[in-house]
Amino acid sequence: MLSSLRDFWRRHKKKVFVSAGVLGSGYVLYKLYNAHRQRLDDLERELANERKRVDEFVKDQLQSHFENIQRIADTTTLPHAIQFLSSRIEEELRLSHLTDRLMQGKGQPNNLTSSEKLELWDKLKYLSFTRMVLSLWTMTLLSLYIRVQVNILGRHLYIDTARHIGSIHSLLPDLLVGETVVSFSPTFLEGTRANSFSGFSDTISCLIISSNGQASRKDDGDLIDRDDQQKFLACADFLSTNGLSALISNMQAAVTDVIKGKQLRDFFDTTVLHETIVQILDTFKSIRSPHLWVDFLMPDDAHVRELDASSSSDEAGISDFTKFDLLMLETRAVISSAKFTNVAEVALKSVVNELIKEIGIQCGEDNLSTGMPLARLLARVTHVGPILLDEPSKNKFIEAIKNEPEVEMLFTALYSNADVLD
């Protein structure tokens, strides 16, 4: 038995060594491959985790940037524009000369004849409703227009800043490692509440905030020119400086058409007042449809129309236009769109509903739900006009607009996507 095993070993030991070598080498190669595969899997998981972390960082930064854009619009550009609009409406639609004469006639009855009193009340009726509905319409559309502006500008500045520094995915890992964030300085934000467009332009520019909280402004030679930014934002005043006269004329015509059949002794309750305001807005809209707000909110710039033609026929010609022209073209496209029209309608309805509530509160013991003569209601109509143009931080009507889901969705999409209207 032992002899046969020795003979077998002599005859086959080479094969045994070769087989053992092959099996051993295979096992070693298998272990090496398995270890390599494990390292690759670990690396892929690390890369996936890093990619997820970067994506979350990008989303957080965009969300933070978007929220800052909305906040500084509320604390800089909008207050300036609303204050200017309020002063212009006060100049153009003064009621004091009518109310003063009526008060004098009340104290000294012989100073005014019955027909003169009736004429003054009639003028006060038309002027009060004109001022109220005009304030409602301009406040709503101006607040929407300014948000269109700041979200378009904010998106361009964010993208241009990212391009200037490098691509997003090459920039963010370095920022994460260095504990550096592309954002706004909170202290800088608090210091820019001046009522000026330059203040907003400074604030909206992207800052590089280091981990120790010190801010330094990035060289923005490749960004939108600062003058173009300020010029673009200053267009928010076009309504107050250029569009208001024609707007008042159209609104007066709409009010006259609706109110002429309303007598001072007619009873107005919540429903009648709501229907009257909506009817005035609908009549006004029919005068200047479609896109009635475009001409009131923006200059009819032939240069921009030329750019619009160039963009649809010869894209090479776009390079001849400034960033300001491009910003104006995009803004005009947005506010001329069906999406903006729908959002404006939603916002106007929301403000009308809030206005009816406010007038009901102003009526106090004179319950509007049960009705009162138009002559008594006029005092509340007159009083509520300026309230519509209150400082945005305490303006319940602007807050109602912001809280509408359709409004929020439009401006979120507008900030994140240049092709939102497609």
Side-chain angles (χ1 to χ4, degrees):
M1 182 68 177
L2 186 59
S3 175
S4 63
L5 286 174
R6 286 174 180 167
D7 290 341
F8 178 81
W9 174 252
R10 262 195 312 270
R11 287 195 307 270
H12 298 290
K13 66 178 179 179
K14 188 175 180 179
K15 293 179 181 178
V16 171
F17 283 131
V18 170
S19 298
V22 170
L23 290 173
S25 299
Y27 178 75
V28 171
L29 288 174
Y30 169 75
K31 294 295 287 184
L32 289 173
Y33 170 79
N34 201 38
H36 179 66
R37 181 72 261 172
Q38 187 64 40
R39 285 197 297 271
L40 287 177
D41 290 342
D42 291 343
L43 181 60
E44 286 179 0
R45 279 194 296 270
E46 289 178 9
L47 289 174
N49 291 335
E50 182 66 19
R51 190 177 298 111
K52 182 179 179 181
R53 193 157 65 102
V54 168
D55 288 343
E56 289 175 353
F57 180 84
V58 171
K59 290 178 182 178
D60 289 344
Q61 285 304 112
L62 286 173
Q63 181 64 29
S64 175
H65 192 251
F66 173 75
E67 290 172 357
N68 282 325
I69 290 293
Q70 313 316 307
R71 181 163 60 253
I72 58 180
D74 289 336
T75 58
T76 55
T77 310
L78 190 56
H80 166 88
I82 290 291
Q83 182 182 21
F84 186 35
L85 175 64
S86 179
S87 65
R88 289 286 293 116
I89 291 177
E90 177 64 28
E91 291 173 7
E92 296 290 333
L93 296 174
R94 289 188 180 277
L95 298 172
S96 56
H97 66 289
L98 296 176
T99 55
D100 289 348
R101 288 195 63 191
L102 285 170
M103 290 300 293
Q104 290 174 1
K106 187 176 180 180
Q108 300 174 343
N110 295 330
N111 284 355
L112 291 174
T113 64
S114 298
S115 60
E116 287 174 333
K117 287 181 182 179
L118 186 59
E119 183 182 357
L120 286 173
W121 274 105
D122 221 34
K123 288 181 179 178
L124 184 62
K125 176 182 70 175
Y126 290 117
L127 198 54
S128 296
F129 272 91
T130 299
R131 181 167 166 165
M132 178 184 68
V133 182
L134 180 76
S135 298
L136 183 157
W137 191 92
T138 53
M139 179 276 296
T140 303
L141 271 296
L142 184 60
S143 63
L144 293 176
Y145 175 73
I146 286 174
R147 289 197 184 281
V148 169
Q149 281 190 306
V150 299
N151 281 288
I152 288 175
L153 182 57
R155 169 166 42 81
H156 279 280
L157 287 174
Y158 192 94
I159 292 172
D160 287 353
T161 300
R163 286 173 178 168
H164 183 88
I165 299 174
S167 69
I168 287 291
H169 286 287
S170 65
L171 166 67
L172 292 179
D174 293 336
L175 293 180
L176 286 166
V177 172
E179 296 183 358
T180 305
V181 181
V182 179
S183 184
F184 291 103
S185 163
T187 54
F188 186 72
L189 283 172
E190 290 300 320
T192 55
R193 300 197 175 194
N195 289 332
S196 65
F197 294 114
S198 60
F200 179 87
S201 179
D202 287 340
T203 308
I204 200 173
S205 297
C206 205
L207 300 175
I208 305 299
I209 310 301
S210 62
S211 57
N212 62 7
Q214 297 297 316
S216 60
R217 193 176 303 281
K218 185 186 71 59
D219 174 25
D220 47 27
D222 293 336
L223 301 182
I224 299 172
D225 182 80
R226 185 64 52 80
D227 291 338
D228 279 346
Q229 293 179 39
Q230 296 181 16
K231 183 180 176 183
F232 175 63
L233 292 170
C235 288
D237 276 345
F238 178 83
L239 171 63
S240 299
T241 55
N242 299 84
L244 196 59
S245 296
L247 178 58
I248 289 174
S249 177
N250 289 168
M251 191 63 75
Q252 284 177 329
V255 169
T256 300
D257 187 64
V258 174
I259 298 295
K260 63 184 178 183
K262 311 290 185 184
Q263 304 299 318
L264 293 172
R265 63 178 177 273
D266 290 348
F267 263 68
F268 270 63
D269 58 16
T270 303
T271 302
V272 174
L273 180 59
H274 186 279
E275 290 175 349
T276 301
I277 295 173
V278 170
Q279 191 177 354
I280 292 171
L281 289 171
D282 288 343
T283 304
F284 168 68
K285 184 170 63 175
S286 68
I287 296 174
R288 295 295 296 262
S289 289
H291 311 312
L292 70 161
W293 40 72
V294 178
D295 293 339
F296 296 131
L297 293 172
M298 295 187 70
D300 185 18
D301 195 334
H303 193 54
V304 174
R305 290 201 305 273
E306 182 183 349
L307 172 59
D308 192 14
S310 298
S311 65
S312 58
S313 59
D314 180 17
E315 293 197 8
I318 295 179
S319 60
D320 297 331
F321 295 90
T322 67
K323 283 289 188 77
F324 169 76
D325 295 326
L326 294 171
L327 290 170
M328 291 294 285
L329 176 63
E330 186 174 348
T331 303
R332 180 175 285 274
V334 171
I335 66 172
S336 302
S337 69
K339 287 185 178 179
F340 184 85
T341 301
N342 293 336
V343 167
E345 293 295 338
V346 168
L348 285 168
K349 288 178 182 177
S350 177
V351 174
V352 170
N353 292 336
E354 196 66 34
L355 179 64
I356 297 300
K357 294 178 186 176
E358 178 63 25
I359 294 176
I361 294 172
Q362 296 292 329
C363 287
E365 295 180 359
D366 297 327
N367 197 335
L368 183 60
S369 61
T370 59
M372 64 177 65
L374 177 57
R376 287 173 59 189
L377 180 63
L378 283 181
R380 279 76 184 186
V381 172
T382 301
H383 179 71
V384 82
I387 296 177
L388 283 157
L389 300 171
D390 265 348
E391 165 73 28
S393 62
K394 57 182 180 180
N395 192 316
K396 64 178 69 178
F397 306 103
I398 291 178
E399 195 64 29
I401 294 171
K402 289 166 55 179
N403 290 337
E404 287 294 332
E406 291 88 346
V407 174
E408 185 178 1
M409 287 174 60
L410 173 65
F411 294 122
T412 301
L414 186 61
Y415 172 80
S416 60
N417 183 10
D419 299 323
V420 64
L421 302 179
D422 293 345

